Amino acid sequence: MRGNSKTGHQPVRASTAAFIGTMIEWYDFYIYATAAALVFGKLFFPSATGFYGTLAAFGTFAVGFFARPLGGALFGHIGDRIGRKKSLVITLVMMGTVTVLIGLLPTHAAIGVWAPVLLVLLRIVQGVAVGGEWGGAVLMAGEHSPDKNRRTFFASFAQLGSPAGLILSMLMFKLVTGLDDAAFLSWGWRVPFLFSAVLLVVGFVIRLSVNESPEFLQEKQARAQRAQPARAPLAQVLTGAPGLLALAVGANVLGIAGFYFTSTFMIAYTTQYVGLNRAVILDCLLVVSIMQFFITPLAAHIASRVGNLRFLATMALVSVFTPYAMFNLVDLGSLSAITLGIGVAVLFMGAYYAVIAGFVSDSFPTAIRYTGISMAYQLSGAIFGGLTPMLGTVLAENFKGQWWPLAALFSVISLLSLVSVLALGAHGRRRVSFQPEGHRA
């Protein structure tokens, strides 16, 4: 990197690339989630109508989450041993290609049982790609930070891609949900998936323009000078710090499960149990996503001033109580009330999500950081993120007309993250985190 006159611009470029890349990745993921809530049950599981069709569609959504830890392990190894940049280029191409293929996939009416089988297989590949994307994007942004005290702020640009991807997906579905049902079910739902081809080209060009992480390059040079090679990063994480990994998994729950509760499950809940038109809830989520987009950098800035641990604990504590206000307002049925209700929950949850990436990444040493934070995030997604819409659907079906079990579910999610963050903060203060192999004296 020496002699490169553009090196000084790399922190901004890396943050921009992290934002654009994760926006594309999450756009691809969210359009699948939206399609699962709106049409996949009818098109790929026609024999399972109503509640069971929605549950089956959300089942394919959950499959992607179960595949994400595999992606975290695979691309975490590549990112920790070969390079963050190479790993991120591969995940971007995988994700965009699979999304386009889903948009071209024949339905059950055309090829029978092969339609859901192929959908599940593509979903698995999509999950593997996302499993390796998030950790690398966070690290490329955070590790390019010129000041380690601002690592959380720079890492938040990767988090910014999440609401941006949702905004873009909502806009695309807003364009096609205005079609009549026949056109929407025939070809309209495919448009957001096929549009991913354009985003793939843009993201690929931007990602190639960013230099490799300077911290990774330093670690790679130090590793080359060691006498003995260390074990695989995944083995070091699982055997060296299982407690740290467990706390990191719990710390991510609110940002993952809480988000899919408000952005995915609430689509099915409001359209099937409250009786809202799908366009109304999509309009609501679009407004809320725009709000979260602006909350993200502001929350990261505030956290850098008051302290990450204090900020995260406060946001998680408040989130324990926000679902009760949310459901009271959602049941009023008006666009303004629903937007306000979901907005209240997303306000604090989104602020939490903005900061948690940088907080968790600081818990792992550079040599295994990609693997550590990827496994934590993806295990949290597999266990809590993928199952949350399904569990919410089961509760809504079995407690029709009662929202308190759903609010309690959101409270439990928030409480779990609160306890985990406090424990992770205490873990850091005790300085008991391990050194990866080859670093010991």
Side-chain angles (χ1 to χ4, degrees), residues 192-400:
F193 288 88
L194 299 178
F195 181 69
S196 185
V198 177
L199 299 178
L200 172 60
V201 174
V202 175
F204 185 77
V205 172
I206 293 175
R207 194 152 273 183
L208 285 179
S209 70
V210 182
N211 293 338
E212 181 56 86
S213 158
E215 289 190 28
F216 169 79
L217 293 176
Q218 292 173 7
E219 170 59 30
K220 185 178 180 179
Q221 183 178 16
R223 185 168 63 241
Q225 296 173 352
R226 295 172 199 147
Q228 296 180 343
R231 287 184 300 162
L234 180 61
Q236 295 186 58
V237 171
L238 294 179
T239 61
L244 174 60
L245 178 62
L247 292 178
V249 168
N252 276 298
V253 171
L254 177 57
I256 299 173
F259 188 86
Y260 285 107
F261 187 102
T262 56
S263 68
T264 301
F265 166 70
M266 289 303 288
I267 295 177
Y269 174 76
T270 54
T271 55
Q272 297 183 27
Y273 297 96
V274 181
L276 293 180
N277 182 278
R278 65 188 179 214
V280 174
I281 184 60
L282 291 179
D283 285 343
C284 160
L285 290 177
L286 175 60
V287 173
V288 171
S289 300
I290 294 172
M291 178 193 74
Q292 186 186 355
F293 181 84
F294 290 103
I295 286 172
T296 299
L298 178 61
H301 175 71
I302 294 174
S304 67
R305 303 295 294 272
V306 304
N308 293 334
L309 178 60
R310 180 183 299 178
F311 183 86
L312 288 168
T314 302
M315 295 302 102
L317 178 61
V318 175
S319 292
V320 172
F321 304 99
T322 55
Y324 303 93
M326 176 174 67
F327 279 102
N328 269 303
L329 289 166
V330 166
D331 277 1
L332 294 178
S334 68
L335 175 60
S336 58
I338 296 169
T339 303
L340 179 61
I342 297 179
V344 167
V346 172
L347 173 64
F348 297 98
M349 181 200 69
Y352 180 95
Y353 181 73
V355 178
I356 192 63
F359 181 75
V360 171
S361 68
D362 279 342
S363 302
F364 294 91
T366 305
I368 56 170
R369 186 174 292 153
Y370 198 137
T371 301
I373 68 170
S374 293
M375 291 305 297
Y377 190 84
Q378 306 313 337
L379 286 172
S380 185
I383 299 169
F384 301 98
L387 295 179
T388 294
M390 294 180 66
L391 182 56
T393 300
V394 171
L395 290 175
E397 180 70 15
N398 286 278
F399 294 90
K400 289 183 178 178

Side-chain angles (χ1 to χ4, degrees), residues 27-28 30-44 98-110 115 119 122 169 172-196 278:
Y27 167 80
D28 290 348
Y30 292 146
I31 58 175
Y32 189 101
T34 305
L38 294 178
V39 299
F40 279 175
K42 300 175 184 177
L43 297 177
F44 293 91
V98 168
T99 303
V100 173
L101 290 176
I102 292 175
L104 297 173
L105 193 63
T107 64
H108 190 281
L119 180 65
L122 290 173
S169 70
M172 290 301 298
F173 266 98
K174 185 175 175 60
L175 290 175
V176 297
T177 51
L179 299 169
D180 60 75
D181 286 344
F184 180 64
L185 291 173
S186 175
W187 59 268
W189 68 272
R190 299 180 183 276
V191 174
F193 288 88
L194 299 178
F195 181 69
S196 185
R278 65 188 179 214

